[in-house]
């Protein structure tokens, strides 16, 4: 599951991707525009800077901007930097694999299913760029219903 850190980091990057190239945004502006606690966002932006996704400038004319074009930033890379491996369990991870002590990996049905889950997640996130995420038209996205039995899909209001 995507953590708040991962979600807020992606929201902040989308915010920066919506700005004209090179324009800076203040942390407070990004935080208030996306309902992100400013102190938490400061830490997230520091990690994104260290990973090379954003650049910062201090001072009155300072702020944050993308370090490279939005169409060169893969969503999967951002998620891994902020939240770690995409796999739901350690024995299904490609980057931080850990063997399970309680099962035989060759015959464990849970592991084999989670390998498929990890692959499906990676296929979506590693093929999508920040620019594609920024350009999503909300009217074209349908969402699954909740457990209360509402329609299986419904339009997301713009």
């Amino acid at each position: 599951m995507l953590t708040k850190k991962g979600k807020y980091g992606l929201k902040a990057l989308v915010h920066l991707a919506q700005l004209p190239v090179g324009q800076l945004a203040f942390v407070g502006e990004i935080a208030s525009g996306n309902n992100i606690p400013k102190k938490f966002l400061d830490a997230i932006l520091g990690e994104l800077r260290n990973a090379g996704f954003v650049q910062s400038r201090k001072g009155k004319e300072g702020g944050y901007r993308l370090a490279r074009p939005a169409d060169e930033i893969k969503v999967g890379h951002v998620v891994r930097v902020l939240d770690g491996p995409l796999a739901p369990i350690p024995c299904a991870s490609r980057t931080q694999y850990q063997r399970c002590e309680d099962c035989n990996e060759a015959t464990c049905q849970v592991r084999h299913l989670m390998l498929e889950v990890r692959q499906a997640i990676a296929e979506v996130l590693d093929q999508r760029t920040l620019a594609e995420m920024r350009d999503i038209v909300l009217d074209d996205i349908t969402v699954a219903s909740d457990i209360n039995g509402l329609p299986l899909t419904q339009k997301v209001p713009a």
Side-chain angles (χ1 to χ4, degrees), residues 1-14 36 40-41 43-45 47-48 75-84 86 125 130 133:
M1 186 175 293
L2 189 66
T3 66
K4 284 197 178 209
K5 179 180 173 183
K7 181 178 179 180
Y8 291 164
L10 288 170
K11 283 182 158 202
L13 289 173
V14 168
I36 303 171
F40 194 20
L41 182 58
I44 294 168
L45 287 170
E47 285 188 49
L48 292 171
V75 175
H77 189 193
V78 175
V79 172
R80 285 182 189 91
V81 164
L82 295 175
D83 280 351
L86 301 178
L125 297 181
L130 189 58
M133 192 173 166

Side-chain angles (χ1 to χ4, degrees), residues 35-121:
N35 279 336
I36 303 171
K38 185 182 176 300
K39 198 168 190 176
F40 194 20
L41 182 58
D42 278 326
I44 294 168
L45 287 170
E47 285 188 49
L48 292 171
R49 184 184 60 242
N50 291 340
F53 294 118
V54 298
Q55 295 173 333
S56 65
R57 186 166 59 192
K58 295 185 185 222
K60 186 176 157 188
E61 300 294 319
Y64 285 88
R65 67 177 169 222
L66 294 180
R68 55 186 196 263
D71 63 354
E72 294 179 13
I73 299 173
K74 297 288 186 180
V75 175
H77 189 193
V78 175
V79 172
R80 285 182 189 91
V81 164
L82 295 175
D83 280 351
L86 301 178
I89 58 176
C91 66
S93 176
R94 285 191 180 170
T95 58
Q96 294 189 14
Y97 168 85
Q98 291 179 359
R99 189 179 196 297
C100 294
E101 295 178 17
D102 59 340
C103 61
N104 178 340
E105 289 182 343
T107 60
C108 179
Q109 293 93 342
V110 173
R111 177 176 187 264
H112 289 280
L113 181 63
M114 292 304 118
L115 284 167
E116 283 184 53
V117 170
R118 184 247 167 249
Q119 188 59 34
I121 291 169

Side-chain angles (χ1 to χ4, degrees), residues 18-32:
Q18 292 170 337
L19 301 174
V21 175
Q23 183 175 326
L24 296 162
F26 293 113
V27 176
E29 172 188 320
I30 300 167
S32 65

